[in-house]
Amino acid sequence: MSYTMRVLQHAISKNPNEPEFHQAMTEILPTLQPLIDEHPEYEKASILERLVEPERQIIFRVPWVADNGEIRVNRGFRVQYNSAIGPYKGGIRFHPSVNLSIIKFLGFEQVFKNSLTGLPIGGGKGGSDFDPKGKSDREVMSFCQSFINELYRYVGADQDIPAGDIGVGGREIGFMYGQYKRLTGQYEGSYTGKGLTYGGSLVRTQATGYGLIYMVENMLNTLKTTFADKTAVISGSGNVAIYAAEKAEQFGAKVVAMSDSNGYIYDPQGIDLDAVKEIKEVRRGRIHEYLKFRDSAQYVENGLIWSVACDLALPCATQNELLEDGAKLLIDNGCIVVAEGSNMSTSLDATHMLQQSGVLFSPGKAANAGGVAVSALEMAQNSSRISWSFEEIDCMLRTIMHEIYAGSYAAAEKYGMKGNLVAGANIAGFSKVAEAMLAQGAV
Ligand code: NDP
């Protein structure tokens, strides 16, 4: 049995009941075999055994006080996965589904993604099973402060730098950063996604969504076409989905469907993004409220958004949201590009189906790396006490996404897998981390 398969089997048996983590390892490890064959020193130094084991996993109690005076208890996580190329960096997710398996899959992916950006950041991820939906601002603040009362010991500007993810936006980062500052007395770049008045970076809000569309720009270039006259379907209606839709429209595509966890809206005239922003960013409402803004729209409760015909399919909600049934519909309807805004949006079987049908597919670790890339630029601005302009950062983001695409494409081609951006991104991301681990010795 090959080295990659042995490590995969062992890691799965050592970490039972962690299906999302198993899925992430199964997607990544086998694709590294060609590079491993070229570098026998990696096996000698047990690089893969070390890579799959997080450097540190922190699980903690988060008690907080609800508005009615009751004390509630949630569970907090931070998985500091790999610091070979820089301090741990990765988002915090607040969602009732959060557990160790989900945080480990996200952290493992983050190691490769952060390496792909070309910036000096290691991988980590955190979160809690706390559900911010329906909570008052005071309750969210109470929870965030309690979360940081424990986490502040393990994070810091050169140690571990959290950011947002599902359920964590500007409001939550503000509360967490404020508490970190109170406890440590440090005004430093220890979180990214901060508000612009206290160290945040321009473009960070837009970065993941814009970056995704810059990735699609490169993919369309390879297919010798452009956004003009293309129809896009974007799942989700959170941070990533909204700014992907904004940039796709700026580039000339028509976004016809978006969703939340209750259903999707279809608007053949093209989604009115101001309406979606008003519903989601201002009112924190539900996507079906869109019907009040546009007569041309339909709402499909619990429907499968991938049944809407499109050229470009951009899953931007959560993991495993695009399965075989969705992939089949996309293929039958003539979709040419699938790029993941969410992490591990697509199951392994669905990914293979899309690739085998000739759909150009980009995995999240490459396609959604724009968010963490601009986070690293926020860190750079914080440590040098300067602020770059929107245009400067947007230009850097576009260049970084181009380099991620080019690097992933070239790596796949080099190992005889032309057009397989999954394998290419894994190999390109792994290579730098493996070399750094080797150089730093085995302690
Ligand atoms: P938000 O919380 O802003 O939005 C999430 C969206 O996805 C909402 O519309 C939400 O609907 C929907 N959603 C979440 N969970 C589920 C679920 N279990 N089933 C169906 N729909 C769901 O999160 P982001 O936009 O920040 O993140 C979206 C994805 O992008 C995640 O996978 C995240 O890891 C990834 N990502 C985010 C980055 C960032 O910078 N924010 C960077 C890189 C990746 P509802 O409101 O109904 O829950």
Side-chain angles (χ1 to χ4, degrees):
M1 195 189 293
S2 67
Y3 175 44
T4 51
M5 292 312 289
R6 271 187 284 118
V7 172
L8 177 60
Q9 281 197 0
H10 182 67
I12 288 175
S13 67
K14 202 173 163 188
N15 299 279
N17 307 317
E18 295 183 359
E20 293 84 4
F21 178 49
H22 298 173
Q23 185 181 340
M25 288 191 296
T26 306
E27 187 249 296
I28 293 174
L29 289 178
T31 63
L32 304 178
Q33 193 59 48
L35 193 70
I36 299 283
D37 291 340
E38 228 176 60
H39 292 273
E41 68 275 21
Y42 292 167
E43 181 171 356
K44 234 172 157 182
S46 300
I47 292 291
L48 290 184
E49 289 87 334
R50 289 196 267 153
L51 192 78
V52 295
E53 187 71 25
E55 290 178 21
R56 191 171 299 105
Q57 305 179 56
I58 303 145
I59 303 181
F60 50 100
R61 182 182 65 178
V62 191
W64 55 281
V65 184
D67 286 345
N68 64 6
E70 277 174 24
I71 296 180
R72 306 265 166 84
V73 180
N74 285 96
R75 187 171 287 175
F77 300 89
R78 186 73 183 168
V79 172
Q80 298 182 326
Y81 224 106
N82 191 301
S83 62
I85 63 169
Y88 312 107
K89 177 95 198 85
I92 301 266
R93 175 177 293 193
F94 292 163
H95 193 273
S97 63
V98 163
N99 57 31
L100 187 60
S101 171
I102 288 184
I103 299 299
K104 279 172 73 179
F105 114 66
L106 290 165
F108 189 56
E109 289 259 312
Q110 195 84 42
V111 174
F112 294 78
K113 180 191 311 192
N114 292 3
S115 168
L116 279 172
T117 66
L119 299 164
I121 37 178
K125 198 84 189 187
S128 173
D129 56 0
F130 173 74
D131 187 358
K133 262 192 228 126
K135 304 286 190 302
S136 69
D137 284 355
R138 206 209 61 81
E139 288 178 319
V140 171
M141 182 172 77
S142 169
F143 174 81
C144 289
Q145 292 179 340
S146 180
F147 187 81
I148 293 304
N149 285 346
E150 181 62 27
L151 191 68
Y152 85 96
R153 302 166 213 280
Y154 309 101
V155 298
D158 290 308
Q159 187 179 0
D160 183 351
I161 307 95
D165 191 83
I166 291 177
V168 177
R171 175 183 61 169
E172 291 75 16
I173 292 289
F175 291 150
M176 288 194 275
Y177 181 68
Q179 188 68 353
Y180 175 84
K181 191 164 60 68
R182 262 171 230 119
L183 292 169
T184 61
Q186 300 292 313
Y187 204 107
E188 54 173 22
S190 45
Y191 291 78
T192 59
K194 299 187 290 299
L196 293 176
T197 52
Y198 63 95
S201 171
L202 289 164
V203 194
R204 179 59 190 91
T205 303
Q206 296 84 355
T208 310
Y210 279 21
L212 175 65
I213 299 303
Y214 296 147
M215 175 60 66
V216 174
E217 181 183 33
N218 285 281
M219 296 167 82
L220 291 175
N221 214 3
T222 296
L223 298 175
K224 302 205 179 334
T225 183
T226 67
F227 283 93
D229 303 323
K230 298 290 185 300
T231 298
V233 164
I234 301 182
S235 65
S237 48
N239 173 264
V240 179
I242 285 176
Y243 291 96
E246 183 167 284
K247 185 54 74 178
E249 283 182 1
Q250 283 173 15
F251 278 180
K254 181 156 84 168
V255 180
V256 292
M258 293 181 80
S259 64
D260 63 19
S261 54
N262 296 115
Y264 72 83
I265 46 163
Y266 169 59
D267 188 343
Q269 287 186 6
I271 296 283
D272 174 356
L273 253 191
D274 288 339
V276 175
K277 285 184 184 177
E278 168 67 25
I279 296 163
K280 290 293 176 181
E281 294 185 334
V282 181
R283 298 188 200 171
R284 296 182 189 272
R286 308 306 301 160
I287 201 72
H288 66 73
E289 294 167 38
Y290 185 85
L291 296 186
K292 292 183 204 146
F293 290 78
R294 277 286 186 96
D295 292 339
S296 52
Q298 296 163 29
Y299 174 67
V300 183
E301 181 101 24
N302 293 322
L304 189 59
I305 194 170
W306 313 121
S307 63
V308 177
C310 64
D311 304 296
L312 317 172
L314 309 176
C316 293
T318 192
Q319 65 276 355
N320 289 325
E321 53 169 319
L322 172 50
L323 308 176
E324 278 174 287
D325 53 351
K328 186 170 181 327
L329 285 164
L330 290 174
I331 293 161
D332 290 349
N333 286 329
C335 173
I336 56 170
V337 161
V338 173
E340 294 183 330
S342 47
N343 287 302
M344 207 166 74
S345 336
T346 317
S347 68
L348 269 171
D349 289 339
T351 304
H352 292 149
M353 197 186 242
L354 291 164
Q355 288 175 319
Q356 278 158 16
S357 304
V359 176
L360 192 53
F361 177 89
S362 176
K365 67 175 75 63
N368 70 29
V372 76
V374 173
S375 275
L377 300 180
E378 182 174 332
M379 291 160 65
Q381 292 169 87
N382 290 160
S383 56
S384 51
R385 269 63 174 165
I386 53 164
S387 300
W388 294 321
S389 71
F390 192 98
E391 290 68 28
E392 282 174 298
I393 301 169
D394 194 30
C395 179
M396 286 187 250
L397 170 63
R398 200 167 179 176
T399 305
I400 290 169
M401 296 313 296
H402 173 73
E403 283 169 1
I404 292 174
Y405 180 76
S408 303
Y409 193 90
E413 194 167 30
K414 178 175 174 195
Y415 294 102
M417 296 177 281
K418 190 172 172 179
N420 183 344
L421 295 171
V422 173
N426 290 342
I427 291 171
F430 170 71
S431 166
K432 184 171 148 195
V433 177
E435 286 301 319
M437 289 173 76
L438 210 56
Q440 291 171 26
V443 190

